Structures are given as C-alpha cells and as structure tokens.
Amino acid sequence: MTTSRTPSTGVSAAGAGSAQAAAGVEDIEFVSPPANVSDVVDDDSRGCHRRYRTVSNVLATTEPVAAQADEDGEPDEHLHLATEEPTSFDEAATDPAWRAAMEAEMAAIEDNGTWEAVDLPAGHRPIGLKWVFKLKKDAQGSVIRHKARLVAKGYVQRAGVDFDEVFAPVARLDSVRALAAVAAHEGWALHHLDVKSAFLNGDLTEEVYVAQPPGFTIAGRE
C-alpha cells in the first residue's frame, strides 16, 4: 500500500477523472487506511489531505519510464531495478551473463571431481541444490562480474543422522586485521586477490547424495 498527499486546493474529482479518461489510463482508486497506519507512517503531510492507494492501482495508472541512452549510446545507469540479482534459476537462465556464470561454476565442480552420477539407493534421501546469484561491483558501484554459486540446502540435514560435525574453513576478520597491523608495522607489501572457487582438499568418508543441479540435469538420467 502507498500513500499520496494532495493539497486541499487541488482540481475537482470530476476534472481529474476527465483528465485520466482523456489520457487513456484507469481511474485512481483510493482505499481505507490500515488500523495501525499511524504507527508506521511519518506524519509530514504539511496540511495536505492524506489518501491511500494500493500498489497495484499505482502501477496500473502510471506509465513505465523508458531507459535513456547516454552520450556514448549506452543505457543510462541511473535507472535501477528493485532487485538486480535473480532469485531462481528460471530468472537467471534467460540472461547470457548469468548463464555463463553458472556454466563456469559447473565446470569448476566437475574439474574437481566433486561428485559422480549414481542411482539413489533405497532408504536414502538426496539433499536438494539451489543456485545463489551475486553481482560483484567495484568501488564506483559498476558491475565487474556475475557470480553464481551452487549450494546445498543444508537445512534439511539432521544432526547425528546426516552429519556429526560442522566446519567453516574461512578467515576471521580479526585475523585479517592482525595481519594488516603486522604488515604495517614491519613495512610489508600486502596483495589482495579474489578466489573464484574454493574446494576442501579432502574426501568424504560418509555417503552423501544430492539432487542434480537445476538446469543441468544429465539427459537420460533425470
């Protein structure tokens, strides 16, 4: 729900309705406010009458803003979508950049011999997989890389049944700060690099089964 503020000396309802009809848009519909609206809306109406509309009505009575091109012919980056990163494989599959990122992730997984395709034994339940998408940006906010990660839905695993211990082999920020402090004190040069893919150098002693990745199911072995 959204709010709109209109001055008390505005145009008449009949005049506004005629203007909307002439423009070929649907009529603006106002709705009753929620009971607790005073608790969540700041009151800075400055003497104007506050009226409420549904989001669907706002979208139905407005025209989409067309993207403009800059002097180099490139799309103007001042227009941003509410969500730049897809939330599912279906959303990302139509974008060549995200598709290439997923293919790179699958290539890294296969090159490291992470798994092998097998028939699911009776009595076992596979862990589902999902894609997580992230845009890597530079200091100016420009997109420099599309990053796709295939992760397991670990929340379906049960302690003592599917796993016994949990490890998180990542650097603590305290360790990074300590290293930076020592380097500054000793006059050392620090170098930063981005690791595209990291894999644990070890073999599982347990049997773990995961479902095939969305969008990358082996033909004939679905």
Side-chain angles (χ1 to χ4, degrees):
M1 177 173 292
T2 115
T3 67
S4 65
R5 301 183 181 90
T6 56
S8 57
T9 57
V11 297
S12 66
S18 300
Q20 293 163 10
V25 298
E26 298 181 16
D27 290 338
I28 294 177
E29 297 178 358
F30 296 98
V31 297
S32 300
N36 63 339
V37 68
S38 60
D39 299 331
V40 296
V41 177
D42 293 333
D43 188 6
D44 58 351
S45 55
R46 300 177 183 177
C48 298
H49 179 60
R50 187 194 303 274
R51 294 187 291 183
Y52 296 83
R53 300 168 59 189
T54 61
V55 174
S56 59
N57 183 252
V58 172
L59 297 177
T61 56
T62 55
E63 294 292 335
V65 180
Q68 303 294 324
D70 59 19
E71 57 184 8
D72 297 325
E74 296 295 330
D76 192 347
E77 296 184 357
H78 292 291
L79 298 177
H80 297 278
L81 295 176
T83 55
E84 295 178 306
E85 299 162 352
T87 57
S88 66
F89 169 80
D90 293 335
E91 293 182 20
T94 57
D95 190 319
W98 288 119
R99 186 75 191 186
M102 289 187 285
E103 291 174 352
E105 174 75 352
M106 288 298 300
I109 290 174
E110 294 171 356
D111 291 345
N112 282 274
T114 305
W115 58 44
E116 59 181 358
V118 298
D119 294 326
L120 184 65
H124 288 268
R125 180 181 60 177
I127 300 171
L129 300 177
K130 67 172 294 185
W131 288 101
V132 177
F133 305 97
K134 186 70 176 178
L135 288 174
K136 304 285 285 187
K137 301 181 180 181
D138 58 17
Q140 287 71 39
S142 301
V143 177
I144 57 177
R145 186 157 65 92
H146 291 68
K147 184 176 181 180
R149 286 291 176 262
L150 188 64
V151 300
K153 299 178 181 179
Y155 52 81
V156 302
Q157 295 179 287
R158 295 165 295 175
V161 177
D162 301 300
F163 66 91
D164 294 316
E165 296 178 282
V166 178
F167 299 92
V170 296
R172 290 174 55 89
L173 188 57
D174 294 341
S175 302
V176 176
R177 288 171 176 163
L179 179 61
V182 173
H185 183 269
E186 298 293 338
W188 298 341
L190 283 178
H191 298 275
H192 173 269
L193 57 90
D194 185 20
V195 179
K196 291 184 61 177
S197 298
F199 290 84
L200 294 178
N201 186 22
D203 297 323
L204 292 176
T205 57
E206 303 84 6
E207 290 186 351
V208 178
Y209 298 92
V210 296
Q212 296 194 53
F216 291 86
T217 303
I218 300 175
R221 302 196 66 179
E222 293 81 359

